[in-house]
Amino acid sequence: MIPVLTPMGIVASGLPRDASLEIIPSLTLSSRVALIFMNYLRDVGNSMVKEIISGVPISKTACILIYCILTPLLEETIYRGFLLKSLVANMKWQQAVVVSSVIFSAAHLSGENSLQLFTIGCVLGCCYFWSGNLRSFTIRSLYNAVILMSTLLS
C-alpha cells in the first residue's frame, strides 16, 4: 500500500506500492526534458529568457506554459506525489521533506540556486504534507511566474 499524507497523519491508499513505481520512468523522462530546457535557459542567462518572452506570441506562450504549468506539474508529481510519499513510508515526515528537498535541489543542477531551490522544496513539501494533495503545484506555478516576471522586468 502507498502511504497517503493527510492532515490527520498517514493512511494507506488502495494502490499497491509498486503501482506508483511503474509510472515514475515516463514521468521522470518528461520532467527531465522540461528541466533540461529550463536549466538551459537559466544557464544561458536572463537575456535569452527575455528574448523568448518578448518575441513572437507563440514563443511567449510556449515559454509561459512550460515554465509556469508543465514543469511545476511534472516536478510536483514526481518530487511530492511519488518521492515524498515513498520516503514517508521509511522515515519521519520532516526528514522526508528535507531529503526530497535536497534531491529536488540537486536535480536542478544549479549550484548558485541550490539554497533557494532547497528552501522552496521544503516549503512545497510541507504544503503537500499538510494539504494531502498537490496544492504545492499552485505555489510552484506562482513561484515560477514571479521569477519569469522578474526576469522580464530586470
Side-chain angles (χ1 to χ4, degrees):
M1 298 298 213
I2 298 173
V4 176
L5 303 172
T6 67
M8 303 302 285
I10 302 170
V11 289
S13 75
L15 295 174
R17 178 170 284 172
D18 295 338
S20 64
L21 296 177
E22 293 172 5
I23 300 169
I24 290 176
S26 61
L27 288 175
T28 302
L29 177 62
S30 304
S31 178
R32 292 312 304 164
V33 169
L35 277 173
I36 289 168
F37 175 72
M38 294 314 301
N39 282 328
Y40 172 73
L41 290 179
R42 285 184 188 150
D43 291 341
V44 169
N46 292 341
S47 62
M48 185 174 195
V49 175
K50 277 186 181 179
E51 186 177 328
I52 291 172
I53 293 173
S54 61
V56 295
I58 191 74
S59 66
K60 184 185 299 188
T61 303
C63 187
I64 291 169
L65 286 174
I66 290 171
Y67 202 77
C68 299
I69 296 176
L70 180 64
T71 301
L73 180 64
L74 291 173
E75 288 186 354
E76 291 308 300
T77 301
I78 291 168
Y79 293 108
R80 261 52 79 187
F82 293 113
L83 180 62
L84 187 59
K85 279 184 184 179
S86 299
L87 292 172
V88 165
N90 299 315
M91 59 183 74
K92 294 180 182 177
W93 74 269
Q94 297 92 337
Q95 293 171 326
V97 167
V98 169
V99 170
S100 70
S101 297
V102 167
I103 294 170
F104 173 74
S105 178
H108 281 80
L109 306 172
S110 177
E112 67 272 1
N113 294 326
S114 60
L115 181 60
Q116 176 183 355
L117 290 165
F118 172 76
T119 303
I120 193 71
C122 287
V123 169
L124 295 170
C126 289
C127 175
Y128 179 76
F129 179 77
W130 291 324
S131 69
N133 60 32
L134 288 176
R135 288 185 186 156
S136 57
F137 162 74
T138 305
I139 295 171
R140 179 67 193 283
S141 293
L142 291 173
Y143 172 78
N144 281 7
V146 167
I147 289 178
L148 197 59
M149 290 305 296
S150 67
T151 300
L152 180 61
L153 297 174
S154 65

